[in-house]
Amino acid sequence: MNAENDKSLPLKVRIYRQIKKWVMVILNPRLLLCLFIAWMITNGWCYVFTVLGTLLDIPWMTVTGGAYMSLLWVPFTPEKIITVIIAIFLMRILFPKDEKTIGVLHDELHKLKVSYIKARDKRREKRRLRKKMRQRKTDIV
């Protein structure tokens, strides 16, 4: 059993270990660099356009940056998800041997898949049992 997920440990200790693991992953300088590049690709350019357009009195830059920025502030904009996906993609390209970050992300993805499969199988089993019980009721009547 994995030491991080040992159920015999107190909840406080398990939460602390999870938080520490994610802080170490997020504060990895390589990931921070990739997140910055991805942010500049998705959002940063519009802030630069808005500031430079305003300072240098270039109307098309100000309008373009402001228009895109207004789209970013609309509720439920998926730009953060896209930014993280681009950052992970850049991590794989720029730092393919960085197992500290990519390895943790891969392990977490594997855990998510396993828990999803367990939950799906549990739902299917419940559905099968309900169907079986309904079948018995119709057979009795």
Side-chain angles (χ1 to χ4, degrees):
M1 182 176 262
N2 195 353
E4 293 173 356
N5 297 326
D6 189 5
K7 299 291 182 185
S8 65
L9 292 174
L11 183 61
K12 254 186 190 177
V13 174
R14 291 185 304 201
I15 291 173
Y16 174 75
R17 286 183 178 178
Q18 282 289 343
I19 291 172
K20 182 180 175 186
K21 177 176 71 172
W22 282 108
V23 166
M24 295 299 290
V25 167
I26 292 171
L27 294 181
N28 181 350
R30 294 174 180 156
L31 181 63
L32 288 176
L33 174 67
C34 291
L35 278 170
F36 176 73
I37 293 170
W39 182 79
M40 285 303 290
I41 291 170
T42 57
N43 305 343
W45 66 268
C46 79
Y47 293 100
V48 172
F49 266 37
T50 305
V51 170
L52 285 179
T54 304
L55 291 176
L56 301 175
D57 198 28
I58 304 172
W60 71 268
M61 260 188 171
T62 307
V63 170
T64 305
Y68 188 78
M69 202 181 308
S70 67
L71 289 175
L72 290 177
W73 288 92
V74 171
F76 309 112
T77 305
E79 51 88 18
K80 287 172 185 51
I81 296 169
I82 295 168
T83 303
V84 170
I85 290 170
I86 292 172
I88 293 171
F89 175 73
L90 288 172
M91 274 289 289
R92 288 187 167 198
I93 290 175
L94 298 177
F95 307 108
K97 294 182 182 176
D98 182 22
E99 285 302 317
K100 189 184 287 186
T101 306
I102 295 175
V104 170
L105 293 174
H106 180 64
D107 291 344
E108 290 299 318
L109 179 64
H110 179 70
K111 287 178 191 175
L112 279 173
K113 285 180 181 178
V114 167
S115 66
Y116 171 76
I117 289 171
K118 281 182 182 178
R120 182 191 66 194
D121 290 345
K122 192 175 181 180
R123 281 193 312 270
R124 285 181 178 173
E125 182 63 25
K126 281 184 178 180
R127 190 177 304 135
R128 190 184 64 75
L129 287 174
R130 281 195 307 262
K131 195 174 184 179
K132 192 174 182 181
M133 292 301 288
R134 272 189 252 131
Q135 187 66 29
R136 283 186 185 168
K137 285 181 182 178
T138 57
D139 289 344
I140 294 172
V141 174

